[in-house]
mmCIF file of all heavy atoms in Angstrom:
data_model
loop_
_atom_site.group_PDB
_atom_site.id
_atom_site.type_symbol
_atom_site.label_atom_id
_atom_site.label_comp_id
_atom_site.label_asym_id
_atom_site.label_seq_id
_atom_site.Cartn_x
_atom_site.Cartn_y
_atom_site.Cartn_z
ATOM 1 N N PRO A 94 -29.180 120.169 47.275
ATOM 2 C CA PRO A 94 -30.126 119.203 46.724
ATOM 3 C C PRO A 94 -31.450 119.887 46.434
ATOM 4 O O PRO A 94 -31.715 120.951 46.984
ATOM 5 C CB PRO A 94 -30.293 118.182 47.851
ATOM 6 C CG PRO A 94 -29.240 118.472 48.855
ATOM 7 C CD PRO A 94 -28.802 119.881 48.650
ATOM 8 N N PRO A 95 -32.294 119.313 45.612
ATOM 9 C CA PRO A 95 -32.135 118.028 44.958
ATOM 10 C C PRO A 95 -31.365 118.144 43.648
ATOM 11 O O PRO A 95 -31.131 119.245 43.154
ATOM 12 C CB PRO A 95 -33.581 117.625 44.682
ATOM 13 C CG PRO A 95 -34.293 118.911 44.479
ATOM 14 C CD PRO A 95 -33.620 119.895 45.385
ATOM 15 N N MET A 96 -30.986 117.000 43.127
ATOM 16 C CA MET A 96 -30.394 116.958 41.787
ATOM 17 C C MET A 96 -30.873 115.683 41.109
ATOM 18 O O MET A 96 -31.185 114.701 41.771
ATOM 19 C CB MET A 96 -28.866 117.044 41.834
ATOM 20 C CG MET A 96 -28.157 115.847 42.367
ATOM 21 S SD MET A 96 -26.365 116.079 42.220
ATOM 22 C CE MET A 96 -25.812 114.535 42.938
ATOM 23 N N SER A 97 -30.939 115.741 39.790
ATOM 24 C CA SER A 97 -31.424 114.596 39.029
ATOM 25 C C SER A 97 -30.910 114.684 37.603
ATOM 26 O O SER A 97 -30.795 115.780 37.048
ATOM 27 C CB SER A 97 -32.958 114.587 39.026
ATOM 28 O OG SER A 97 -33.464 113.518 38.254
ATOM 29 N N LEU A 105 -29.839 118.314 36.460
ATOM 30 C CA LEU A 105 -30.517 119.432 37.114
ATOM 31 C C LEU A 105 -30.002 119.507 38.534
ATOM 32 O O LEU A 105 -29.998 118.499 39.251
ATOM 33 C CB LEU A 105 -32.032 119.226 37.137
ATOM 34 C CG LEU A 105 -32.789 119.496 35.868
ATOM 35 C CD1 LEU A 105 -34.282 119.282 36.093
ATOM 36 C CD2 LEU A 105 -32.541 120.888 35.342
ATOM 37 N N TRP A 118 -30.967 131.627 44.723
ATOM 38 C CA TRP A 118 -30.995 130.220 44.351
ATOM 39 C C TRP A 118 -31.677 130.037 43.013
ATOM 40 O O TRP A 118 -32.587 130.791 42.646
ATOM 41 C CB TRP A 118 -31.744 129.428 45.419
ATOM 42 C CG TRP A 118 -31.752 127.961 45.167
ATOM 43 C CD1 TRP A 118 -30.827 127.064 45.593
ATOM 44 C CD2 TRP A 118 -32.727 127.219 44.437
ATOM 45 N NE1 TRP A 118 -31.163 125.811 45.169
ATOM 46 C CE2 TRP A 118 -32.322 125.873 44.453
ATOM 47 C CE3 TRP A 118 -33.883 127.556 43.758
ATOM 48 C CZ2 TRP A 118 -33.048 124.870 43.827
ATOM 49 C CZ3 TRP A 118 -34.593 126.556 43.127
ATOM 50 C CH2 TRP A 118 -34.177 125.220 43.177
ATOM 51 N N LEU A 120 -32.518 126.677 39.838
ATOM 52 C CA LEU A 120 -32.359 125.311 39.360
ATOM 53 C C LEU A 120 -31.632 125.398 38.026
ATOM 54 O O LEU A 120 -32.079 126.100 37.112
ATOM 55 C CB LEU A 120 -33.728 124.642 39.201
ATOM 56 C CG LEU A 120 -33.746 123.116 39.112
ATOM 57 C CD1 LEU A 120 -33.078 122.474 40.315
ATOM 58 C CD2 LEU A 120 -35.176 122.612 38.990
ATOM 59 N N LEU A 140 -39.293 128.542 43.358
ATOM 60 C CA LEU A 140 -39.675 127.387 44.169
ATOM 61 C C LEU A 140 -38.573 127.018 45.155
ATOM 62 O O LEU A 140 -37.448 127.500 45.062
ATOM 63 C CB LEU A 140 -39.966 126.189 43.252
ATOM 64 C CG LEU A 140 -41.036 126.381 42.176
ATOM 65 C CD1 LEU A 140 -41.120 125.141 41.303
ATOM 66 C CD2 LEU A 140 -42.374 126.699 42.806
ATOM 67 N N ALA A 141 -38.921 126.144 46.090
ATOM 68 C CA ALA A 141 -37.954 125.583 47.038
ATOM 69 C C ALA A 141 -38.122 124.066 47.022
ATOM 70 O O ALA A 141 -38.723 123.479 47.919
ATOM 71 C CB ALA A 141 -38.192 126.140 48.436
ATOM 72 N N PRO A 142 -37.627 123.397 45.960
ATOM 73 C CA PRO A 142 -37.881 121.961 45.825
ATOM 74 C C PRO A 142 -37.167 121.123 46.882
ATOM 75 O O PRO A 142 -35.990 121.316 47.149
ATOM 76 C CB PRO A 142 -37.365 121.617 44.438
ATOM 77 C CG PRO A 142 -36.613 122.780 43.950
ATOM 78 C CD PRO A 142 -36.886 123.932 44.842
ATOM 79 N N LEU A 143 -37.945 120.221 47.482
ATOM 80 C CA LEU A 143 -37.379 119.234 48.397
ATOM 81 C C LEU A 143 -36.954 117.987 47.633
ATOM 82 O O LEU A 143 -36.044 117.284 48.046
ATOM 83 C CB LEU A 143 -38.420 118.844 49.452
ATOM 84 C CG LEU A 143 -38.824 119.922 50.440
ATOM 85 C CD1 LEU A 143 -40.041 119.476 51.240
ATOM 86 C CD2 LEU A 143 -37.665 120.252 51.351
ATOM 87 N N ALA A 144 -37.663 117.709 46.548
ATOM 88 C CA ALA A 144 -37.356 116.532 45.721
ATOM 89 C C ALA A 144 -37.769 116.837 44.294
ATOM 90 O O ALA A 144 -38.682 117.625 44.056
ATOM 91 C CB ALA A 144 -38.117 115.314 46.235
ATOM 92 N N LEU A 145 -37.081 116.196 43.358
ATOM 93 C CA LEU A 145 -37.475 116.318 41.957
ATOM 94 C C LEU A 145 -37.170 115.020 41.244
ATOM 95 O O LEU A 145 -36.280 114.265 41.626
ATOM 96 C CB LEU A 145 -36.812 117.516 41.282
ATOM 97 C CG LEU A 145 -35.350 117.468 40.867
ATOM 98 C CD1 LEU A 145 -35.226 116.975 39.432
ATOM 99 C CD2 LEU A 145 -34.764 118.860 40.941
ATOM 100 N N GLN A 146 -37.969 114.779 40.219
ATOM 101 C CA GLN A 146 -37.792 113.584 39.395
ATOM 102 C C GLN A 146 -38.085 113.967 37.961
ATOM 103 O O GLN A 146 -39.082 114.637 37.686
ATOM 104 C CB GLN A 146 -38.742 112.475 39.860
ATOM 105 C CG GLN A 146 -38.621 111.181 39.101
ATOM 106 C CD GLN A 146 -37.338 110.429 39.397
ATOM 107 O OE1 GLN A 146 -36.937 110.303 40.529
ATOM 108 N NE2 GLN A 146 -36.688 109.940 38.367
ATOM 109 N N ALA A 147 -37.226 113.569 37.044
ATOM 110 C CA ALA A 147 -37.410 113.866 35.627
ATOM 111 C C ALA A 147 -37.986 112.650 34.915
ATOM 112 O O ALA A 147 -37.564 111.517 35.158
ATOM 113 C CB ALA A 147 -36.079 114.248 34.998
ATOM 114 N N LEU A 154 -40.831 117.442 34.462
ATOM 115 C CA LEU A 154 -40.253 117.438 35.804
ATOM 116 C C LEU A 154 -41.362 117.364 36.838
ATOM 117 O O LEU A 154 -42.398 118.016 36.697
ATOM 118 C CB LEU A 154 -39.437 118.709 36.042
ATOM 119 C CG LEU A 154 -38.284 118.971 35.099
ATOM 120 C CD1 LEU A 154 -37.664 120.328 35.380
ATOM 121 C CD2 LEU A 154 -37.254 117.878 35.211
ATOM 122 N N PHE A 155 -41.125 116.597 37.885
ATOM 123 C CA PHE A 155 -42.042 116.500 39.008
ATOM 124 C C PHE A 155 -41.292 117.009 40.226
ATOM 125 O O PHE A 155 -40.192 116.541 40.530
ATOM 126 C CB PHE A 155 -42.514 115.058 39.193
ATOM 127 C CG PHE A 155 -43.316 114.571 38.020
ATOM 128 C CD1 PHE A 155 -42.684 114.032 36.908
ATOM 129 C CD2 PHE A 155 -44.693 114.679 38.019
ATOM 130 C CE1 PHE A 155 -43.411 113.610 35.811
ATOM 131 C CE2 PHE A 155 -45.436 114.255 36.928
ATOM 132 C CZ PHE A 155 -44.785 113.715 35.830
ATOM 133 N N ILE A 156 -41.893 117.988 40.908
ATOM 134 C CA ILE A 156 -41.220 118.654 42.024
ATOM 135 C C ILE A 156 -42.129 118.646 43.239
ATOM 136 O O ILE A 156 -43.322 118.952 43.139
ATOM 137 C CB ILE A 156 -40.845 120.106 41.656
ATOM 138 C CG1 ILE A 156 -39.736 120.104 40.604
ATOM 139 C CG2 ILE A 156 -40.413 120.902 42.879
ATOM 140 C CD1 ILE A 156 -39.284 121.473 40.145
ATOM 141 N N ALA A 157 -41.557 118.299 44.401
ATOM 142 C CA ALA A 157 -42.222 118.476 45.687
ATOM 143 C C ALA A 157 -41.679 119.782 46.260
ATOM 144 O O ALA A 157 -40.491 119.865 46.584
ATOM 145 C CB ALA A 157 -41.925 117.305 46.612
ATOM 146 N N ASP A 158 -42.539 120.811 46.333
ATOM 147 C CA ASP A 158 -42.098 122.148 46.711
ATOM 148 C C ASP A 158 -42.395 122.451 48.176
ATOM 149 O O ASP A 158 -43.548 122.399 48.610
ATOM 150 C CB ASP A 158 -42.776 123.185 45.816
ATOM 151 C CG ASP A 158 -42.298 124.595 46.098
ATOM 152 O OD1 ASP A 158 -41.074 124.792 46.181
ATOM 153 O OD2 ASP A 158 -43.147 125.485 46.236
ATOM 154 N N ALA A 159 -41.358 122.780 48.940
ATOM 155 C CA ALA A 159 -41.510 123.075 50.367
ATOM 156 C C ALA A 159 -42.220 124.397 50.591
ATOM 157 O O ALA A 159 -42.977 124.549 51.550
ATOM 158 C CB ALA A 159 -40.137 123.106 51.032
ATOM 159 N N GLN A 160 -41.979 125.360 49.731
ATOM 160 C CA GLN A 160 -42.520 126.705 49.915
ATOM 161 C C GLN A 160 -44.047 126.726 49.802
ATOM 162 O O GLN A 160 -44.728 127.369 50.584
ATOM 163 C CB GLN A 160 -41.898 127.643 48.895
ATOM 164 C CG GLN A 160 -42.160 129.101 49.147
ATOM 165 C CD GLN A 160 -41.269 129.952 48.268
ATOM 166 O OE1 GLN A 160 -40.205 129.529 47.840
ATOM 167 N NE2 GLN A 160 -41.708 131.152 47.989
ATOM 168 N N GLN A 163 -46.765 121.901 47.605
ATOM 169 C CA GLN A 163 -47.434 121.333 46.441
ATOM 170 C C GLN A 163 -46.549 120.324 45.716
ATOM 171 O O GLN A 163 -45.331 120.406 45.761
ATOM 172 C CB GLN A 163 -47.805 122.444 45.450
ATOM 173 C CG GLN A 163 -48.832 123.412 45.956
ATOM 174 C CD GLN A 163 -49.182 124.457 44.907
ATOM 175 O OE1 GLN A 163 -48.414 124.734 43.999
ATOM 176 N NE2 GLN A 163 -50.362 125.033 45.040
ATOM 177 N N LEU A 164 -47.230 119.402 45.044
ATOM 178 C CA LEU A 164 -46.584 118.569 44.038
ATOM 179 C C LEU A 164 -46.847 119.252 42.714
ATOM 180 O O LEU A 164 -47.981 119.657 42.431
ATOM 181 C CB LEU A 164 -47.192 117.173 44.008
ATOM 182 C CG LEU A 164 -46.731 116.214 45.082
ATOM 183 C CD1 LEU A 164 -47.503 114.908 44.971
ATOM 184 C CD2 LEU A 164 -45.256 115.954 44.977
ATOM 185 N N MET A 165 -45.801 119.382 41.899
ATOM 186 C CA MET A 165 -45.938 120.105 40.637
ATOM 187 C C MET A 165 -45.404 119.276 39.484
ATOM 188 O O MET A 165 -44.411 118.575 39.624
ATOM 189 C CB MET A 165 -45.168 121.416 40.698
ATOM 190 C CG MET A 165 -45.597 122.318 41.815
ATOM 191 S SD MET A 165 -44.571 123.787 41.857
ATOM 192 C CE MET A 165 -45.793 124.999 42.228
ATOM 193 N N LEU A 167 -43.988 120.011 35.742
ATOM 194 C CA LEU A 167 -43.473 121.074 34.896
ATOM 195 C C LEU A 167 -43.057 120.508 33.555
ATOM 196 O O LEU A 167 -42.669 119.344 33.450
ATOM 197 C CB LEU A 167 -42.261 121.741 35.542
ATOM 198 C CG LEU A 167 -42.488 122.597 36.786
ATOM 199 C CD1 LEU A 167 -42.696 121.748 38.013
ATOM 200 C CD2 LEU A 167 -41.308 123.498 36.993
ATOM 201 N N LEU A 181 -46.620 116.985 52.558
ATOM 202 C CA LEU A 181 -45.371 116.366 52.110
ATOM 203 C C LEU A 181 -44.595 115.831 53.300
ATOM 204 O O LEU A 181 -44.578 116.445 54.370
ATOM 205 C CB LEU A 181 -44.508 117.398 51.370
ATOM 206 C CG LEU A 181 -45.101 117.999 50.105
ATOM 207 C CD1 LEU A 181 -44.207 119.115 49.585
ATOM 208 C CD2 LEU A 181 -45.297 116.928 49.042
ATOM 209 N N ALA A 182 -43.927 114.703 53.114
ATOM 210 C CA ALA A 182 -43.044 114.165 54.143
ATOM 211 C C ALA A 182 -41.874 115.120 54.335
ATOM 212 O O ALA A 182 -41.587 115.953 53.474
ATOM 213 C CB ALA A 182 -42.540 112.781 53.727
ATOM 214 N N ASP A 183 -41.197 115.024 55.471
ATOM 215 C CA ASP A 183 -40.047 115.897 55.730
ATOM 216 C C ASP A 183 -38.982 115.757 54.653
ATOM 217 O O ASP A 183 -38.380 116.732 54.235
ATOM 218 C CB ASP A 183 -39.433 115.591 57.098
ATOM 219 C CG ASP A 183 -40.355 116.003 58.234
ATOM 220 O OD1 ASP A 183 -41.230 116.863 58.022
ATOM 221 O OD2 ASP A 183 -40.204 115.452 59.343
ATOM 222 N N LEU A 184 -38.741 114.541 54.219
ATOM 223 C CA LEU A 184 -37.781 114.264 53.140
ATOM 224 C C LEU A 184 -38.503 113.479 52.055
ATOM 225 O O LEU A 184 -38.387 112.253 51.979
ATOM 226 C CB LEU A 184 -36.583 113.471 53.670
ATOM 227 C CG LEU A 184 -35.736 114.180 54.720
ATOM 228 C CD1 LEU A 184 -34.720 113.214 55.332
ATOM 229 C CD2 LEU A 184 -35.022 115.366 54.109
ATOM 230 N N PRO A 185 -39.253 114.162 51.195
ATOM 231 C CA PRO A 185 -40.020 113.426 50.186
ATOM 232 C C PRO A 185 -39.125 112.771 49.143
ATOM 233 O O PRO A 185 -38.063 113.284 48.805
ATOM 234 C CB PRO A 185 -40.894 114.501 49.549
ATOM 235 C CG PRO A 185 -40.220 115.789 49.831
ATOM 236 C CD PRO A 185 -39.442 115.609 51.090
ATOM 237 N N VAL A 186 -39.578 111.626 48.660
ATOM 238 C CA VAL A 186 -38.899 110.891 47.595
ATOM 239 C C VAL A 186 -39.924 110.643 46.501
ATOM 240 O O VAL A 186 -41.015 110.139 46.771
ATOM 241 C CB VAL A 186 -38.329 109.551 48.114
ATOM 242 C CG1 VAL A 186 -37.681 108.776 46.977
ATOM 243 C CG2 VAL A 186 -37.337 109.786 49.246
ATOM 244 N N LEU A 187 -39.583 111.028 45.279
ATOM 245 C CA LEU A 187 -40.464 110.861 44.128
ATOM 246 C C LEU A 187 -39.893 109.805 43.192
ATOM 247 O O LEU A 187 -38.698 109.815 42.910
ATOM 248 C CB LEU A 187 -40.598 112.178 43.351
ATOM 249 C CG LEU A 187 -41.048 113.408 44.127
ATOM 250 C CD1 LEU A 187 -40.969 114.639 43.234
ATOM 251 C CD2 LEU A 187 -42.456 113.228 44.649
ATOM 252 N N ARG A 188 -40.760 108.916 42.695
ATOM 253 C CA ARG A 188 -40.354 107.919 41.703
ATOM 254 C C ARG A 188 -41.456 107.786 40.666
ATOM 255 O O ARG A 188 -42.637 107.789 41.005
ATOM 256 C CB ARG A 188 -40.106 106.547 42.348
ATOM 257 C CG ARG A 188 -38.954 106.495 43.312
ATOM 258 C CD ARG A 188 -37.618 106.694 42.589
ATOM 259 N NE ARG A 188 -36.517 106.679 43.501
ATOM 260 C CZ ARG A 188 -35.869 107.752 43.927
ATOM 261 N NH1 ARG A 188 -36.218 108.943 43.498
ATOM 262 N NH2 ARG A 188 -34.875 107.667 44.766
ATOM 263 N N LEU A 194 -46.906 108.192 39.684
ATOM 264 C CA LEU A 194 -45.938 108.882 40.523
ATOM 265 C C LEU A 194 -46.069 108.324 41.931
ATOM 266 O O LEU A 194 -47.144 108.355 42.519
ATOM 267 C CB LEU A 194 -46.209 110.395 40.528
ATOM 268 C CG LEU A 194 -45.353 111.236 41.480
ATOM 269 C CD1 LEU A 194 -43.889 111.213 41.061
ATOM 270 C CD2 LEU A 194 -45.869 112.664 41.528
ATOM 271 N N PHE A 195 -44.972 107.794 42.452
ATOM 272 C CA PHE A 195 -44.939 107.268 43.813
ATOM 273 C C PHE A 195 -44.250 108.295 44.709
ATOM 274 O O PHE A 195 -43.220 108.848 44.336
ATOM 275 C CB PHE A 195 -44.144 105.954 43.863
ATOM 276 C CG PHE A 195 -44.767 104.847 43.065
ATOM 277 C CD1 PHE A 195 -44.447 104.681 41.723
ATOM 278 C CD2 PHE A 195 -45.667 103.974 43.648
ATOM 279 C CE1 PHE A 195 -45.016 103.666 40.974
ATOM 280 C CE2 PHE A 195 -46.251 102.956 42.911
ATOM 281 C CZ PHE A 195 -45.919 102.796 41.568
ATOM 282 N N ILE A 196 -44.838 108.548 45.885
ATOM 283 C CA ILE A 196 -44.236 109.474 46.845
ATOM 284 C C ILE A 196 -44.453 108.912 48.247
ATOM 285 O O ILE A 196 -45.520 108.360 48.545
ATOM 286 C CB ILE A 196 -44.836 110.895 46.715
ATOM 287 C CG1 ILE A 196 -44.175 111.854 47.698
ATOM 288 C CG2 ILE A 196 -46.336 110.889 46.866
ATOM 289 C CD1 ILE A 196 -44.517 113.318 47.475
ATOM 290 N N ASN A 197 -43.425 109.052 49.095
ATOM 291 C CA ASN A 197 -43.587 108.591 50.468
ATOM 292 C C ASN A 197 -44.595 109.488 51.181
ATOM 293 O O ASN A 197 -44.675 110.685 50.950
ATOM 294 C CB ASN A 197 -42.246 108.532 51.207
ATOM 295 C CG ASN A 197 -41.468 109.830 51.158
ATOM 296 O OD1 ASN A 197 -41.540 110.574 50.186
ATOM 297 N ND2 ASN A 197 -40.714 110.104 52.198
#
Side-chain angles (χ1 to χ4, degrees):
M96 71 175 179
S97 178
L105 282 182
W118 184 89
L120 198 56
L140 303 176
L143 293 169
L145 76 91
Q146 181 71 45
L154 301 174
F155 296 86
I156 291 179
D158 184 48
Q160 192 168 335
Q163 294 182 337
L164 281 176
M165 302 177 140
L167 290 77
L181 298 173
D183 291 338
L184 297 171
V186 178
L187 305 174
R188 295 293 179 257
L194 174 66
F195 296 89
I196 181 170
N197 54 328

